[in-house]
Amino acid sequence: MQSGRQPVVDVALQGTGSLTVSQVDRAKVLQRLRLGDVAFRHLTRAAALLVLVILGGIIVSLIWGSLPALRAFGLSFLYEEVWNPVTEKFGAIAPIYGTVVTSLIAMLIAVPVGLFIALFLTELCPMWLRRPIGIAIELLAGIPSIIYGIWGLFVFAPFLQQHVQPFLISLFGDIPVFSTLFAGPPYGIGVFTAGLILAIMVLPFITSISRDVFEAVPPVLKEAAYGLGCTTWEVVRYVVLPYARVGVIGGIMLGLGRALGETMAVTFVIGNAHRISGSLLAPGTTISATIANEFTEAVGDLYTSALIALGLILFLITFIVLAIARLLLLRLNARVGG
Amino acid sequence: MISSSPLYAKRRRRNAVTMALAYGATGLGLSWLVVILAVLVWEGVSGLSLAVFTEMTPPPGSAGGLLNPIAGSLVMTVIAVLIGTPLGILAGTYMAEYGRFDKLTTVVRFINDILLSAPSIVIGLFIYEVMVAQMGHFSGWAGAVSLAVIVVPVVVRTTEDMLLLVPDSLREAAASIGLPRSLMIQRVAYRAARAGMITGVLLAVARISGETAPLLFTALNNQFWSLNLNAPVSSLPVVIFQFALSPYKDWQSLAWTGALIITFAVLFLSIVARILAAQRKTS
């Protein structure tokens, strides 16, 4: 009977308060709730759109920043090797080459090793060990890139220089093609070392996705193959791998995307030489290492702009690779879901 | 007998070889982790002392610590998380709660997954163009914002995943007692997904605390004690980068100590995140 005089309690905080407020207040409160509802909905929608804005912002700002360089050099920027800040002549082919070659070396090593680890984790490993080993491999992905860099520079590169590279040089010394690929002297740092470090860094990505898709293979398929008398290897080779093919390729592309864009670890061990050398043991450079090394010291708009143009190229390459990876993995999810 | 046929022997041999390779590959993968951690501890522990946490970065040739980069890293990480987490949670909320079957959600999820593994140095260039070039100087704000850009996709992804795990019957129960949708999300869905969302934030912190590339030309570096976010701010990864590549022994050993601190902070965060995630699965 005296409900109108009761203090209006915030319904949004105490759901039962609405029983005691008058009709007028009730309408007000409902109105406020409706407004809050609409506002929250639009807020979340705006945040979702922000993700698209970030991507758009990256692309627009990179294109904007690289316009001076692209105007000055045109398409020749893509295939010229010269990189001379003094005469302001820039070409991107040496860093592009370094990026592609280091990533290829990384994939050549990380793909088989990663697949074998996934095989071990899904077929051979005792149940109680699966989780700990899986976590340990994934922790490799958590170690920051700069740690790989400092470790690579002070530990891994000297080790390669003293023990591995002289061996490789003498091993392939008489074989054509390989003798060029592994021509001396052993610097320690260089394209080969950077590729090896990248291999360690992308290994966890390939392993964990391969393991997940291997585990998604229906047990009945594997059991049928075992029942026919297949060995473990034959089951993996003829049942698991074909079934998991799309997912494995998706995982590999994801790893490749990482390898292409990796910066700090490579910057430490690549040697930063703007030239294309036939030997994998020679110093080189990658797109990301060039930007990391030179951007803060770049004087002149054209120099800065050339570096941003490099960033644009890197972003386009990784975007395409990652987009393919995601499309493949999406297809896989659709299949598993349906 | 079949078991003695040459074909069978060959198949068994091939199987044995490949299985040995699988053991070998796993051993190789695990030994990398052990080797890297062992070297870090070996090189880093000797330099670990109270001075590391109480003194500024030294000029070459004298003793000092890592106080200013540690403080700079902490401040920029906290700001990045404060900016990135709400945005990421809101975006993830839209995708899981409002627009679950929207075209927009599919597009945003796709783009977000790409941003998740996009090269971080490109994000540095982006923030350089948008903030540093416009303001005319390097600044801690620019560093924090570029880290926030890395936080957003991580949080979006985990928020969406965790909200999708919340049973719809909870949502229906909340709706049936007349709770408006926004309150249903904030009171019921968020609460049910809380552990998973915290995991996402922890993973994001782990990710950005070692990030170097986006800070190189946004926050730059600072030799002195400064938490003025309008000026260049020192950060642990950038100092490690600079000191490790220097010719001075003192600086190199400080770089190792810094590397040890970062690695164990990151590993600690990811292990805590995993434990939280595992609890959610079993409960």
Side-chain angles (χ1 to χ4, degrees):
Chain A
M1 46 180 182
Q2 298 217 323
S3 56
R5 275 183 223 142
Q6 290 206 347
V8 180
V9 270
D10 191 338
V11 179
L13 290 174
Q14 298 180 359
T16 52
S18 60
L19 294 178
T20 57
V21 294
S22 71
Q23 284 300 319
V24 183
D25 293 333
R26 191 186 178 87
K28 261 190 199 156
V29 166
L30 282 177
Q31 176 73 18
R32 206 175 61 211
L33 281 179
R34 201 168 299 132
L35 274 177
D37 221 28
V38 172
F40 189 69
R41 187 193 162 95
H42 283 289
L43 199 63
T44 60
R45 199 182 151 86
L49 287 171
L50 182 80
V51 175
L52 303 184
V53 171
I54 291 177
L55 179 82
I58 291 176
I59 294 174
V60 168
S61 70
L62 288 182
I63 291 178
W64 181 255
S66 56
L67 272 182
L70 295 181
R71 241 185 240 130
F73 307 115
L75 270 183
S76 74
F77 185 71
L78 282 177
Y79 54 79
E80 285 290 339
E81 195 185 334
V82 58
W83 186 269
N84 192 335
V86 181
T87 58
E88 299 215 307
K89 290 266 177 284
F90 300 103
I93 194 66
I96 293 176
Y97 169 84
T99 301
V100 171
V101 170
T102 49
S103 302
L104 277 184
I105 296 174
M107 300 321 282
L108 277 179
I109 297 165
V111 169
V113 175
L115 287 179
F116 270 119
I117 296 179
L119 191 169
F120 174 82
L121 284 174
T122 50
E123 299 295 326
L124 299 176
C125 185
M127 273 298 171
W128 60 275
L129 255 179
R130 282 186 189 187
R131 245 181 84 77
I133 292 184
I135 288 177
I137 298 285
E138 279 167 29
L139 283 185
L140 268 179
I143 296 179
S145 139
I146 187 149
I147 308 300
Y148 285 98
I150 185 171
W151 177 79
L153 180 67
F154 288 113
V155 182
F156 197 48
F159 171 77
L160 288 177
Q161 183 179 22
Q162 283 156 18
H163 302 291
V164 179
Q165 293 184 350
F167 169 73
L168 285 175
I169 293 169
S170 62
L171 180 68
F172 293 116
D174 303 325
I175 310 170
V177 182
F178 280 99
S179 64
T180 325
L181 280 180
F182 293 99
Y187 289 103
I189 54 175
V191 174
F192 180 68
T193 312
L196 287 187
I197 293 215
L198 282 179
I200 304 172
M201 297 183 72
V202 299
L203 183 63
F205 295 99
I206 295 175
T207 303
S208 70
I209 291 189
S210 309
R211 182 196 55 193
D212 292 348
V213 289
F214 282 6
E215 273 174 356
V217 176
V220 68
L221 288 184
K222 289 195 282 185
E223 283 157 11
Y226 279 122
L228 286 174
C230 288
T231 61
T232 311
W233 168 245
E234 285 162 349
V235 172
V236 171
R237 172 70 188 77
Y238 299 107
V239 178
V240 174
L241 270 183
Y243 190 90
R245 194 182 53 224
V246 177
V248 167
I249 296 175
I252 291 173
M253 297 297 267
L254 203 62
L256 180 61
R258 288 272 173 174
L260 289 168
E262 184 46 57
T263 309
M264 297 320 292
V266 174
T267 306
F268 272 94
V269 296
I270 190 91
N272 306 308
H274 272 280
R275 59 162 189 269
I276 295 178
S277 168
S279 169
L280 295 179
L281 303 183
T285 191
T286 67
I287 295 178
S288 49
T290 304
I291 301 172
N293 266 314
E294 301 180 19
F295 196 81
T296 43
E297 281 140 33
V299 280
D301 289 342
L302 201 57
Y303 193 4
T304 310
S305 173
L307 288 169
I308 295 178
L310 277 183
L312 178 65
I313 295 171
L314 175 68
F315 189 68
L316 292 181
I317 298 174
T318 49
F319 187 90
I320 292 168
V321 169
L322 291 170
I324 295 173
R326 286 301 167 190
L327 286 174
L328 288 173
L329 291 173
L330 269 183
R331 236 175 74 189
L332 182 82
N333 283 344
R335 194 176 65 184
V336 170
Chain B
M1 236 179 96
I2 284 183
S3 57
S4 57
S5 77
L7 179 63
Y8 185 61
K10 192 178 145 201
R11 286 173 56 205
R12 285 190 54 149
R13 249 196 332 271
R14 178 171 290 173
N15 188 53
V17 169
T18 47
M19 293 309 117
L21 281 176
Y23 277 101
T26 311
L28 192 69
L30 290 179
S31 57
W32 286 127
L33 184 68
V34 174
V35 166
I36 291 175
L37 292 183
V39 169
L40 262 183
V41 171
W42 178 257
E43 296 274 355
V45 161
S46 59
L48 209 55
S49 67
L50 199 61
V52 170
F53 300 98
T54 54
E55 287 177 24
M56 306 297 152
T57 45
S62 56
L66 294 168
L67 178 59
N68 46 334
I70 290 176
S73 273
L74 283 178
V75 169
M76 283 194 285
T77 305
V78 167
I79 294 176
V81 170
L82 287 181
I83 299 173
T85 309
L87 293 175
I89 287 183
L90 286 173
T93 306
Y94 179 81
M95 293 158 73
E97 299 287 343
Y98 288 111
R100 204 179 285 185
F101 307 104
D102 271 12
K103 200 103 190 139
L104 175 67
T105 300
T106 319
V107 175
V108 170
R109 189 184 298 132
F110 186 72
I111 297 299
N112 190 65
D113 280 350
I114 288 178
L115 287 179
L116 205 56
S117 13
S120 56
I121 192 154
V122 170
I123 291 167
L125 285 177
F126 165 52
I127 299 297
Y128 174 87
E129 281 286 300
V130 175
M131 290 182 73
V132 178
Q134 304 305 320
M135 297 195 297
H137 57 87
F138 298 101
S139 73
W141 283 115
V145 171
S146 61
L147 291 180
V149 172
I150 298 173
V151 169
V152 170
V154 182
V155 176
V156 169
R157 181 66 194 268
T158 42
T159 304
E160 194 207 357
D161 286 352
M162 291 304 141
L163 284 177
L164 286 177
L165 286 179
V166 175
D168 278 341
S169 54
L170 279 182
R171 296 192 178 88
E172 286 153 11
S176 73
I177 58 167
L179 211 54
R181 199 161 178 188
S182 58
L183 287 185
M184 176 273 281
I185 293 168
Q186 292 164 28
R187 300 283 173 71
V188 179
Y190 281 173
R191 200 165 290 180
R194 194 168 48 198
M197 286 157 69
I198 294 175
T199 306
V201 176
L202 286 179
L203 287 177
V205 174
R207 172 91 197 271
I208 61 171
S209 47
E211 277 291 351
T212 321
L215 294 176
L216 284 175
F217 24 82
T218 50
L220 204 65
N221 196 357
N222 196 329
Q223 295 279 33
F224 307 102
W225 173 257
S226 165
L227 291 181
N228 177 6
L229 288 171
N230 280 317
V233 172
S234 172
S235 65
L236 208 39
V238 175
V239 166
I240 294 174
F241 178 52
Q242 186 197 350
F243 280 17
L245 287 176
S246 77
Y248 312 110
K249 274 272 163 278
D250 298 335
W251 276 19
Q252 289 178 359
S253 93
L254 266 181
W256 275 112
T257 308
L260 181 73
I261 296 172
I262 288 194
T263 308
F264 279 89
V266 169
L267 291 186
F268 175 75
L269 281 169
S270 27
I271 289 172
V272 170
R274 260 162 211 292
I275 292 173
L276 271 178
Q279 271 177 355
R280 141 127 217 124
K281 249 177 228 159
T282 49
S283 65

